[in-house]
């Protein structure tokens, strides 16, 4: 596939996320690694059929390992509705993803449930989600919808509904987002609609986007596990290797 390592066009106008010079030097590896799965083309489109896991590099191809500076990006907020797992877990995995990304969906369906069962449930791992919509207006809308569902404690249920097989093909227009909220069990539909279009939702999504762009991420999904970058929907064994290594430290 063509390696378009530039983020969506509008990213150029974003204010830089201040992560410090040391981190800027360290995170170049994420930009280098971040070319599996979804990378937006000139019009926020991608030939995802060309982005197969077998044709992409494994995590951290530059061999830089963990970057301690990046561990500071873990928010560890106990009441964060877009996170799961203990706030004081020894390992934090930050996931930058887009609801229109096919490989994000593959990870959500095939790998994430295993990670939750094996590592989150026993207190080893915390997963923190970052909205990183790079495929246009519907991606942005889905990100705000997920955030709005989270305000009523139903983010992960919305996440599951949006990543269910065939969900992406139905789009993320206004009526579809309401359907997903209902499917996710969001109790107050009126509040969901208000939160969906609120300035708070837009600000939260922009904050996550700016963080990802500052890291050099240009495709989804991208991950940081205690400062170690992983690009793409890698196999379970790869996540397990990095998580267990981080837990030992």
């Amino acid at each position: 596939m063509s390696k378009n390592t530039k983020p969506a066009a509008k990213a150029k106008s974003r204010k830089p996320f201040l992560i410090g010079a040391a981190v800027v030097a360290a995170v170049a590896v994420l930009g280098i690694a971040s070319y599996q799965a979804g990378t937006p083309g000139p019009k926020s489109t991608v030939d995802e059929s060309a982005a197969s896991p077998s044709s992409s590099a494994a995590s951290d191809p530059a061999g830089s390992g963990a970057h301690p500076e990046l561990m500071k990006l873990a928010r560890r907020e106990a009441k964060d509705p877009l996170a799961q797992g203990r706030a004081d877990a020894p390992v934090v995995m930050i996931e930058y993803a887009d609801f229109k990304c096919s490989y994000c969906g593959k990870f959500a369906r095939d790998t994430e449930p295993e990670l939750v069962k094996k590592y989150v449930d026993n207190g080893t791992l915390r997963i923190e989600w970052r909205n990183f919509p790079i495929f246009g207006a519907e991606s942005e809308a889905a990100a705000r919808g997920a955030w709005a569902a989270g305000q009523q404690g139903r983010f992960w249920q919305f996440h599951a509904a949006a990543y269910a097989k065939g969900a992406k093909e139905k789009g993320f227009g206004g009526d579809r987002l309401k359907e997903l909220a209902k499917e996710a069990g969001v109790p107050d539909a009126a509040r969901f609609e208000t939160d969906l279009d609120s300035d708070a939702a837009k600000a939260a999504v922009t904050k996550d986007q700016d963080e990802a762009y500052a890291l050099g991420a240009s495709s989804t999904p991208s991950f940081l596990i205690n400062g170690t970058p992983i690009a793409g929907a890698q196999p379970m064994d790869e996540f397990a290797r990095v998580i267990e290594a981080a837990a030992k430290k």
Side-chain angles (χ1 to χ4, degrees):
M1 89 180 256
S2 173
K3 297 178 184 177
N4 179 1
T5 57
K6 294 181 180 179
K10 67 178 180 177
K12 296 178 182 178
S13 64
R14 294 196 180 283
K15 295 179 180 179
F17 182 83
L18 300 180
I19 55 178
V23 178
V24 171
V27 300
V29 67
L30 186 55
I32 294 169
S34 189
Y35 55 78
Q36 180 183 348
T39 303
K43 295 183 180 179
S44 296
T45 60
V46 65
D47 179 7
E48 292 182 291
S49 64
S52 65
S54 61
S55 65
S56 300
S59 65
D60 195 13
S64 64
H67 301 293
E69 301 93 338
L70 301 186
M71 293 178 67
K72 297 175 183 178
L73 293 176
R75 296 171 187 169
R76 292 186 177 275
E77 297 170 1
K79 296 183 179 180
D80 183 355
L82 276 63
Q84 56 180 322
R86 289 169 37 187
D88 63 348
V91 183
V92 178
M93 181 177 79
I94 303 173
E95 176 184 359
Y96 301 91
D98 184 317
F99 286 104
K100 284 181 69 68
C101 163
S102 294
Y103 281 102
C104 298
K106 177 177 174 58
F107 172 80
R109 293 188 300 271
D110 299 345
T111 305
E112 197 161 35
E114 290 188 57
L115 293 177
V116 171
K117 184 177 180 180
K118 188 171 183 179
Y119 299 111
V120 175
D121 289 350
N122 70 9
T124 300
L125 179 68
R126 174 177 175 82
I127 299 175
E128 295 187 357
W129 170 272
R130 303 285 191 269
N131 277 304
F132 188 28
I134 58 175
F135 292 103
E138 285 201 355
S139 288
E140 297 256 3
R144 295 197 312 273
W147 182 89
Q151 301 315 293
Q152 299 188 53
R154 306 301 289 179
F155 168 78
W156 291 104
Q157 292 80 2
F158 185 98
H159 172 279
Y163 277 138
K165 279 227 171 187
K168 178 174 76 78
E169 287 71 23
K170 296 179 181 178
F172 295 110
D175 290 341
R176 177 63 181 146
L177 291 176
K178 295 175 191 176
E179 291 174 8
L180 288 171
K182 183 177 181 180
E183 187 177 338
V186 174
D188 189 335
R191 180 187 170 188
F192 173 81
E193 291 184 43
T194 298
D195 287 341
L196 172 66
D197 293 321
S198 68
D199 289 340
K202 295 171 185 175
V205 171
T206 296
K207 178 181 178 181
D208 288 354
Q209 283 180 311
D210 286 348
E211 181 176 302
Y213 285 134
L215 288 170
S218 59
S219 68
T220 53
S222 292
F223 305 88
L224 290 175
I225 299 178
N226 274 20
T228 296
I230 289 183
Q234 299 295 328
M236 173 66 183
D237 288 350
E238 178 65 8
F239 285 96
R241 180 186 68 79
V242 179
I243 290 168
E244 289 175 15
K248 289 178 182 178
K249 293 180 182 179

